[in-house]
Amino acid sequence: MNIAAAANETLAHNSNLLVYSAMAVYTLAFIAHMAEWVFGSRSKVGRTAAALTSTAAPASATITVQTSQQGGGTAVLERPKVITKSASGSRDVPDGPGAAGGTEKGDLYGRIAISLTVLAWALHVGGVVTRALSVQRAPWGNMYEFSTTFAAVAVGIYLLLLTLKKNVRWIGLPLVTTVLLDLGLAVSVLYTASDQLVPALHSYWLWIHVSCAIISGAVLYLGAVATLLFLFRDRYEAKLADPTGKQPGAFASSVLERLPSAASLDKFAYRINATVFPLWTFTIIAGAIWAEAAWGRYWGWDPKEVWSFITWVAYACYLHARSTAGWKGRKAAWLGLIAFACYLFNYYGVNIFVTGLHSYAGV
C-alpha cells in the first residue's frame, strides 16, 4: 500500500511538472503568435491590400506600376471593386489574409507558433493523463482538473481544425492567451492535491457527463472568440462604409483588416455553436441520469443544475434568434456572448460562491 501511495504521489508530481512545462512552451508560442501579427501588420503586402480595398478611391481606378524587368515597361493593375453593402443589413467583403498578413517573415513566425503550440499541447495532455493515473479515475474531479482538461481540449480542437485545413489560424493568439490565463489560475488558485471522489460519484457517468461538458465548453469557447472578434470586425467594416468618410485608426486597421470578414466570423460562430448545442443538451440529460443514480432524483434545483439549464436556454435563444432575419448580426452576437457568460458563471461563479451538491470536491 505504501509503495502504491508513493507511486501515485510521484505521478502527481510528474503531472505538475508537465503542466508547468506546457505553460512555458505556451508562453513561447504566445510570443511567436505576437510576432506573427506584428510582422504581418507591417507588411507592404498588407498595406497595398488595404489601399486597394479602400473605399476612398473610385472603384474603376487603376494603378500603374513600373516594372524592374530588363527593357522597362509598365503594368496596369485594375483596382478591384469592393462591395461593402450587398443588401440591407449585410456586407460582401472579402476575408483578410489571416494572421500572417501575406508576408514570408510573418508566416514563418506563424508556423513556429503552431509548432510550439503542438509541443505545448503534447506536454499538456501528458500532464492530464498522468494526473488521471495518479488518482486512478477520470482527471476532472475538481476545478483544477477540469480547468487543465478544458484547456487541453480547446487547444486540441483548434489543432484539429487546422489539420482539416480550416482557416482558423487567427484564433491562435487569443486561444494561447486564454490557455495561459486558465492554467495560471488553475495552478495558483484552484490547485487541489490528488484525491478520490466520494463513493456516490464513482460511476461511469463521470466519464460520460463531465467529458461532454468539457468538450461542449471548449467548442463554445471557440464560438465565443469568433463572436467577440465579429463585433470588432463588424464595427471596422461599418467605418469603412461610412459615407461621412470617417475611417478606422491605423492600429485597428493593421489587425482587423487581416481577420476574416464579419460575415465569415458570424457564420463560423453560428455553425460551431449550432454543432455543439446537441452535445450540451445531452450533457444536461446525462447529468440528470447520473443524479438519479447518485442522489435518487433526476432534478433537484441544485445551483449547478439550474445554471446549466439557464445556459441551455440562453444558447437556444441565440440559435433561434440567429436563424431569424431580424436577429442576425450584432444583436445575435451579444446574445451569444451572454450565453457563454452564463457558461462561465456556471463553472466559476457557482463552484466558488454558491454551495450545493456539486461542491463535493471543493475547488
Side-chain angles (χ1 to χ4, degrees), residues 309-334:
F309 180 69
I310 291 174
T311 303
W312 184 89
V313 170
Y315 272 105
C317 291
Y318 161 78
L319 294 174
H320 176 72
R322 178 60 179 74
S323 62
T324 304
W327 276 83
K328 290 182 179 179
R330 298 184 69 86
K331 290 182 179 180
W334 282 113

Side-chain angles (χ1 to χ4, degrees), residues 323-356:
S323 62
T324 304
W327 276 83
K328 290 182 179 179
R330 298 184 69 86
K331 290 182 179 180
W334 282 113
L335 187 54
L337 290 180
I338 291 173
F340 186 69
C342 291
Y343 178 89
L344 289 180
F345 181 79
N346 183 36
Y347 176 54
Y348 287 104
V350 173
N351 283 13
I352 295 175
F353 301 111
V354 182
T355 302

Side-chain angles (χ1 to χ4, degrees), residues 64 78 83-84 96 122 138 153 190 210 232 235 250 263 327-328 336 342:
T64 302
E78 291 291 337
I83 304 173
T84 56
V153 172
L190 304 178
V210 185
F232 287 106
R235 181 60 58 87
W327 276 83
K328 290 182 179 179
C342 291

Side-chain angles (χ1 to χ4, degrees), residues 46-55 57 63 79 257:
R47 296 305 179 196
T48 303
L52 289 173
T53 57
S54 173
T55 57
I63 301 175
R79 185 183 300 279
E257 71 186 7

Side-chain angles (χ1 to χ4, degrees), residues 146-224:
F146 189 99
S147 295
T148 53
T149 307
F150 174 89
V153 172
V155 177
I157 293 173
Y158 167 67
L159 295 177
L160 175 62
L161 292 175
L162 287 177
T163 303
L164 296 175
K165 308 298 183 182
K166 302 298 181 181
N167 179 25
V168 295
R169 235 167 82 172
W170 45 272
I171 298 180
L173 180 58
L175 174 64
V176 171
T177 304
T178 307
V179 167
L180 281 172
L181 293 174
D182 177 75
L183 293 180
L185 181 64
V187 300
S188 62
V189 178
L190 304 178
Y191 182 78
T192 303
S194 301
D195 199 3
Q196 294 299 319
L197 298 176
V198 296
L201 299 181
H202 282 284
S203 170
Y204 59 88
W205 283 105
L206 174 66
W207 292 89
I208 299 173
H209 170 64
V210 185
S211 64
C212 289
I214 291 173
I215 295 172
S216 298
V219 177
L220 292 175
Y221 161 77
L222 296 180

